């Protein structure tokens, strides 16, 4: 695929007016997934000099498929990717692309459906990196091992090149000596789909079956003819349960449902049932659900999400940048800036239940503008007051800390707030409408929402008419 392909776009209409001379910062960007790539592009647009560190051998982040599952079924086990072979997006391609770089079916696609597979998302990100000449900024197979403050206004970033040697060297991991460089600012874009969260169930230590986390799931073959219990029914749980049901004897999915919800136990699959959450596991192989139901299972698959993790940041309470408490990364002003250290360090891509690539771009534009001085941040005290008020509101509503970065119903408000700060045009209404329609179909048609999109003709016409100016 090259710049002439359908997966590329021009950006003239979206580009801002020429900027007056402003400070140019040397910025370390950690990660070359979707967030890191668009962060680098926005930093370049603002006149900064980004250097992108990526520990994998290619760009794409979580969209790089790794067929080798983790050696630790319930842990990260050195494997960064979390994709399963059958994964397709749960948002249509009209919502998946960056604002000025449409995600349209490319000429190499064998499956130009509205909900593309992970291979096509990866090709899209690779095309984005090529179009904006980002590859020269990216240091592949280079892992950041430490980020430390160097004085009041700079950061010492230590990194190590790690490369898997060829067969003639035994295929061992070759590691170079650690090196360090000083940067004016750091933008953290390391994603949050690499450190598994595992459900804690009474009696699980004595349970005799096999367990794995969805991080280690690739294909269903290992479950042929088995009885499988799956914990969790968010997108990965939905997909993996149906994937496994194609080969398993029985699949039993444990769901965290609201108390007032009436749960349907049957599904469109004759061998797949829904249950309340697991109450415990027993030594005879039984898995017991909260309603008293039980099954003897051969395996448990934890589709229970991931932890935010920043192993390269100092964790000393006095010197640390942020703390992670029950998946709350904080304190962060608007999910991006630690008030005490803003704008010298920032985080892109923490929110979920969002339109991911769009949010990454808006956050990156904000960070780049703040670093150049074009956009002003409130004083640290005012930012901390905003964070404290946000936490207080969450507590008053009974929302657990783990939902801190769940945009949910506040998604469009958050997008509009960022747009206003960055001086950009408002997000098109068709984007929001398509997103709302897609989320509704996930809820109402979990079996078929990716392949049924009736009623969208007018929205799609608006979308394609708008996106055409970038093609």
């Amino acid at each position: 695929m090259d710049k002439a392909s359908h997966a590329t776009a021009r950006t003239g209409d979206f580009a801002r007016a020429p900027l007056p001379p402003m400070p140019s910062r040397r910025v370390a960007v950690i990660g070359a997934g979707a967030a890191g790539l668009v962060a680098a592009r926005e930093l370049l647009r603002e006149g900064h000099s980004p250097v992108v560190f990526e520990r994998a051998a290619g760009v794409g982040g979580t969209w790089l498929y790794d067929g080798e599952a983790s050696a630790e079924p319930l842990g990260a086990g050195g494997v960064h990717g979390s994709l399963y072979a059958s994964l397709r997006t749960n948002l249509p391609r009209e919502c998946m692309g960056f604002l000025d770089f449409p995600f349209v079916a490319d000429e190499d696609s064998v499956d130009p459906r509205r909900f593309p597979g992970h291979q096509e998302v990866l090709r899209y990100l690779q095309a984005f990196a090529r179009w904006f000449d980002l590859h020269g900024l990216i240091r592949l197979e280079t892992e950041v091992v430490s980020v430390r403050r160097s004085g009041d206004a700079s950061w010492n970033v230590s990194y190590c090149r790690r490369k898997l040697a060829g067969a003639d060297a035994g295929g061992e991991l070759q590691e170079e000596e650690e090196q360090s460089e000083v940067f004016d600012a750091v933008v953290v874009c390391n994603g949050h789909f690499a450190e598994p969260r595992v459900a804690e169930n009474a009696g699980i230590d004595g349970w005799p079956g096999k367990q794995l986390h969805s991080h280690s799931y690739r294909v269903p073959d290992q479950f042929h003819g088995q009885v499988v219990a799956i914990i969790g029914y968010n997108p990965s749980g939905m997909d993996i349960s149906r994937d496994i049901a194609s080969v398993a004897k029985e699949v039993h999915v444990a769901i965290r449902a609201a108390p007032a919800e009436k749960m349907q136990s049957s599904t469109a699959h004759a061998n797949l049932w829904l249950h309340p959450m697991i109450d415990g596991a027993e030594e005879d192989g039984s898995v017991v659900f909260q309603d008293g139901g039980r099954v003897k299972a051969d395996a448990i698959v934890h589709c229970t999400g991931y932890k935010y993790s920043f192993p390269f940041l100092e964790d000393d309470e006095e010197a640390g940048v942020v703390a992670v408490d029950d998946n709350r990364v904080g304190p962060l002003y608007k999910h991006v800036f630690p008030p005490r250290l803003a704008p010298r360090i920032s985080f892109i891509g923490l929110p979920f239940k969002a339109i991911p690539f769009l949010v990454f771009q808006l956050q990156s534009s904000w960070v780049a503008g703040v670093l150049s001085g074009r956009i002003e941040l409130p004083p640290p005290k005012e930012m901390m007051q905003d964070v404290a008020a946000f936490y207080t509101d969450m507590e008053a509503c009974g929302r657990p800390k783990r939902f801190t970065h769940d945009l949910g119903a506040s998604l469009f408000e958050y997008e509009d707030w960022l747009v206003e700060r960055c001086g950009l045009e408002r997000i098109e209404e068709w984007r929001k409408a398509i997103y709302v329609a897609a989320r509704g179909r996930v809820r109402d048609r979990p079996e078929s929402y990716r392949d049924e999109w009736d009623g969208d003709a007018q929205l799609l016409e608006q979308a394609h008419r708008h996106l055409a100016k970038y093609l």
Side-chain angles (χ1 to χ4, degrees):
M1 189 188 312
D2 56 25
K3 290 185 178 183
S5 80
H6 292 291
T8 57
R10 289 193 288 270
T11 58
D13 290 351
F14 184 79
R16 305 180 190 89
L19 295 169
M22 292 183 180
S24 175
R25 311 289 185 188
R26 189 165 188 260
V27 185
V29 178
I30 303 176
L37 292 175
V38 77
R41 197 275 300 266
E42 293 301 311
L43 288 164
L44 280 176
R45 281 180 162 179
E46 199 79 25
H48 302 299
S49 300
V51 175
V52 185
F53 296 91
E54 172 53 56
R55 69 178 184 176
V59 303
T62 195
W63 296 99
L64 272 171
Y65 179 73
D66 186 347
E68 294 296 322
S70 171
E72 302 171 23
L74 292 178
V79 174
H80 182 59
S82 299
L83 294 181
Y84 37 97
S86 62
L87 185 142
R88 291 171 63 192
T89 64
N90 62 354
L91 289 178
R93 66 175 72 249
E94 290 85 4
C95 289
M96 283 296 297
F98 298 117
L99 287 169
D100 52 342
F101 195 81
F103 188 172
V104 295
D106 63 54
E107 61 189 11
D108 298 326
S109 177
V110 296
D111 183 11
R113 292 177 290 181
R114 291 190 63 207
F115 294 78
H118 59 81
Q119 304 95 329
E120 195 172 347
V121 181
L122 178 60
R123 290 201 299 271
Y124 168 80
L125 292 174
Q126 291 169 338
F128 180 85
R130 285 197 301 273
W131 183 264
F132 293 104
D133 295 324
L134 301 179
H135 282 290
L137 311 174
I138 302 169
R139 301 181 187 179
L140 298 174
E141 297 179 315
T142 305
E143 182 170 5
V144 171
V145 295
S146 175
V147 173
R148 303 182 310 278
R149 277 182 285 171
S150 178
D152 293 332
S154 60
W155 295 87
N156 188 288
V157 176
S158 298
Y159 58 90
C160 187
R161 283 186 53 80
R162 296 188 168 105
K163 186 173 183 179
L164 188 65
D168 55 341
E172 295 182 356
L173 193 66
Q174 303 293 308
E175 195 168 301
E176 293 183 1
E177 187 175 343
E178 189 175 304
Q179 303 177 59
S180 297
E181 293 181 34
V182 174
F183 292 86
D184 299 309
V186 175
V187 182
V188 179
C189 307
N190 69 323
H192 49 91
F193 296 105
E195 189 69 28
R197 286 170 64 100
V198 177
E200 297 180 3
N201 298 117
I204 198 67
D205 289 342
W207 186 75
K210 63 182 176 184
Q211 299 183 67
L212 78 157
H213 190 274
S214 57
H215 176 71
S216 300
Y217 177 81
R218 297 294 181 268
V219 293
D221 303 12
Q222 62 183 301
F223 302 106
H224 190 83
Q226 295 186 355
V227 176
V228 182
I230 293 179
I231 306 175
Y233 204 55
N234 282 323
S236 64
M238 287 184 183
D239 288 349
I240 290 172
S241 64
R242 285 159 176 76
D243 214 17
I244 292 176
S246 67
V247 301
K249 179 181 178 182
E250 297 177 8
V251 177
H252 299 268
V253 186
I255 299 176
R256 181 186 283 115
E261 286 185 37
K262 183 178 180 181
M263 195 171 66
Q264 297 288 330
S265 61
S266 61
T267 69
H269 297 260
N271 64 336
L272 194 158
W273 295 270
L274 309 182
H275 302 266
M277 287 305 289
I278 292 175
D279 194 45
E282 300 179 349
E283 292 183 357
D284 67 351
S286 294
V287 173
V288 183
F289 301 99
Q290 290 177 350
D291 62 355
R294 63 174 57 220
V295 296
K296 280 196 175 182
D298 301 293
I300 294 176
V301 181
H302 297 252
C303 297
T304 43
Y306 296 85
K307 303 174 186 177
Y308 294 99
S309 178
F310 312 100
F312 43 82
L313 294 178
E314 294 178 337
D315 57 6
D316 178 78
E317 185 175 345
E318 192 64 32
V321 176
V322 293
V324 182
D325 181 10
D326 192 18
N327 255 19
R328 168 182 285 174
V329 183
L332 288 179
Y333 178 61
K334 306 300 183 185
H335 307 283
V336 174
F337 288 110
R340 187 165 57 94
L341 298 171
R344 298 294 179 164
I345 189 166
S346 54
F347 294 76
I348 304 296
L350 299 187
F352 56 98
K353 289 191 180 174
I355 306 177
F357 291 9
L358 187 155
V359 169
F360 300 167
Q361 181 173 352
L362 294 178
Q363 290 179 326
S364 297
S365 179
W366 185 35
V367 168
V370 169
L371 284 173
S372 70
R374 183 174 61 84
I375 303 171
E376 187 175 356
L377 281 177
K381 182 178 179 180
E382 189 176 324
M383 288 191 281
M384 280 300 300
Q385 290 172 342
D386 185 275
V387 174
F390 174 48
Y391 292 169
T392 299
D393 288 347
M394 282 192 65
E395 188 174 345
C397 295
R399 285 172 61 79
K401 285 183 180 178
R402 67 179 182 273
F403 295 137
T404 296
H405 305 292
D406 175 355
L407 291 184
S410 65
L411 168 61
F412 298 146
E413 179 185 353
Y414 183 68
E415 291 176 352
D416 290 343
W417 187 91
L418 288 170
V419 163
E420 183 179 353
R421 291 301 176 280
C422 296
L424 302 174
E425 295 182 5
R426 286 182 62 86
I427 303 299
E428 304 85 8
E429 290 303 316
W430 62 259
R431 277 186 206 273
K432 299 178 180 181
I434 288 178
Y435 174 79
V436 170
R439 295 289 299 181
R441 288 195 174 115
V442 172
R443 180 187 64 246
D444 299 336
R445 307 181 193 175
E447 302 281 348
S448 60
Y449 73 91
R450 290 185 175 98
D451 299 305
E452 297 177 1
W453 51 84
D454 52 293
D456 279 359
Q458 187 174 359
L459 280 177
L460 292 178
E461 184 180 348
Q462 291 179 40
H464 296 161
R465 188 166 57 245
H466 173 86
L467 296 175
K469 65 184 179 181
Y470 297 116
L471 294 176

